Amino acid sequence: MGSESTTSVAAPMDAPEEFPLFAHAAAMKVSAKLNDKSTIVCGYDFNEGIDHEKLLQSMLTTGFQASHLGRAIDLVNNMLDWRLSDEPIEEGCSEEERDPAFRQSVKCKIFMGFTSNLISSGLRDTIRFLAEHRMVDVLVTTAGGVEEDLIKCLAPTYTGDFSLPGAQLRSNGLNRIGNLLVPNDNYCKFEDWIIPIFDQLLKEQKEQGVLWTPSKVIARLGKEINNPRSYCYWAYKTSEL
């Protein structure tokens, strides 16, 4: 006995009669007025030539992540420009704190924190510049942030690729930090360099009673590396001034 296949098709649901009106009302809703402080999006006009200061200022009005960078630039500039004289004199201030010359001399104390991967990258040179020119007052980092700085004085780090297989790299004595490559030899050189220094620090502790805090150890390592490419070196040098 033969049979015929049939296909049933569901009838489309009738859209509510009011839906077109609802959609129209939503799409054509009158906009709320933005206040006068709202920033209009506008990028940099390269027809004006290359003006790096104006280019950076334009980040504020470019939108997306560029505006975050622009706000960060503004914040940094505010920290650099701030003086105690910008603030009203509070009740209970000492005579010194009321003195205009003293208030003009008091600047913002700038702390800068960073992780070791930034030192592995080329941003190390930016951080070194900031330390060299005393543009920050306090550097806060991890042990790796110190280690990587000193290692790069002894041997270079290379660019690689994020997709390089770890097992293959390891079999060739290479280590990957993101898309950076560090040969095992670099760490061996670092160990050969630092162990005698640690031995000397221990000797000074036992014989002279020196109490080695992390900051003191880092300053000593900056002194021992004696390399102007190191931010540890400049942190040591500028703290001695």
Side-chain angles (χ1 to χ4, degrees), residues 78-127:
N78 288 339
M79 288 191 290
L80 294 173
D81 295 340
W82 182 90
R83 298 294 183 273
L84 182 59
S85 56
D86 297 334
E87 307 296 328
I89 298 176
E90 296 182 354
E91 228 178 291
C93 283
S94 65
E95 285 301 313
E96 182 182 42
E97 291 171 328
R98 293 175 182 274
D99 178 57
F102 173 79
R103 296 180 69 82
Q104 182 61 31
S105 70
V106 176
K107 302 178 181 180
C108 182
K109 187 174 287 294
I110 300 176
F111 286 67
M112 182 178 184
F114 51 89
T115 50
S116 64
N117 59 319
L118 297 188
I119 302 302
S120 301
S121 75
L123 285 174
R124 173 212 188 205
D125 297 290
T126 302
I127 294 170

Side-chain angles (χ1 to χ4, degrees), residues 150-161:
L150 300 170
I151 287 175
K152 289 174 89 172
C153 293
L154 304 173
T157 296
Y158 301 89
T159 56
D161 193 275

Side-chain angles (χ1 to χ4, degrees), residues 32-48:
K33 297 294 184 183
L34 295 174
N35 59 45
D36 294 335
K37 293 182 180 180
S38 295
T39 302
I40 296 173
V41 173
C42 180
Y44 182 75
D45 184 358
F46 284 93
N47 284 321
E48 297 181 5

Side-chain angles (χ1 to χ4, degrees), residues 71-82:
R71 292 189 192 108
I73 291 170
D74 266 2
L75 183 60
V76 170
N77 285 332
N78 288 339
M79 288 191 290
L80 294 173
D81 295 340
W82 182 90

